[in-house]
Amino acid sequence: MAEKERFELEFLLKTSPKVLDNMISTPSGLSEWFAEDVNIKDEVYTFIWDGSEEEARLVNKKVNSRIKFQWIEDEEDDLDTYFELRYEIDPMTKMVVLTVTDFAEPDEIEESQRFWENQIGELKRTLGA
């Protein structure tokens, strides 16, 4: 398996940090835009897409700031990879700046970036942002 490379994407959202925090950290919020269904047990989130399941462990969460997950399969492969949703208020525009950090194999980075662009597009539609 090739070494995974880190990438970041930045998005502007017209929403409040409180609303965004709910959308990125709760099963009900995540199931509105990120996956078809999301379950949580003992800080392990199960994301369901088209009948397949992926599990991620909650690594770090700071209310009104960020949430960070590590895919269980990457944990088992001893990879130091994660995906993180970090956000802050832009002082000039008062919009929320959402930064997505993720890892992908070099030949899958474009596909992973498109995945996040699509998912964040869905988040924006859900928020009306």
Side-chain angles (χ1 to χ4, degrees):
M1 181 176 4
E3 184 86 11
K4 290 189 175 184
E5 293 181 11
R6 180 177 187 263
F7 66 89
E8 286 190 356
L9 299 170
E10 199 172 272
F11 303 92
L12 291 175
L13 305 173
K14 293 178 187 173
T15 189
S16 73
K18 184 177 181 179
V19 170
L20 182 59
D21 197 68
N22 181 62
M23 295 298 286
I24 68 171
S25 65
T26 66
S28 61
L30 286 161
S31 65
E32 286 190 52
W33 67 277
F34 186 68
E36 291 170 17
D37 196 14
V38 180
N39 299 306
I40 181 175
K41 183 177 182 187
D42 299 327
E43 298 200 349
V44 173
Y45 286 62
T46 302
F47 300 98
I48 301 165
W49 293 277
D50 297 326
S52 70
E53 295 183 2
E54 295 286 336
E55 292 183 324
R57 183 176 316 284
L58 176 64
V59 175
N60 188 308
K61 178 182 174 186
K62 185 175 178 188
V63 175
N64 293 330
S65 177
R66 71 178 174 271
I67 190 161
K68 184 177 183 178
F69 296 95
Q70 182 176 34
W71 294 112
I72 298 291
E73 72 178 30
D74 288 349
E75 206 175 69
E76 291 167 358
D77 291 338
D78 209 23
L79 296 174
D80 187 23
T81 59
Y82 57 88
F83 69 97
E84 180 180 54
L85 303 170
R86 188 175 66 247
Y87 56 99
E88 61 189 12
I89 302 290
D90 181 288
M92 298 285 281
T93 65
K94 303 298 183 205
M95 292 180 73
V96 174
V97 179
L98 174 65
T99 304
V100 175
T101 304
D102 199 358
F103 290 78
E105 292 182 23
D107 62 342
E108 296 178 353
I109 287 180
E110 282 186 34
E111 180 182 339
S112 294
Q113 289 174 332
R114 275 194 307 275
F115 168 80
W116 281 109
E117 288 165 357
N118 288 337
Q119 299 313 100
I120 300 302
E122 189 62 33
L123 173 62
K124 286 180 175 182
R125 281 188 289 283
T126 301
L127 292 170

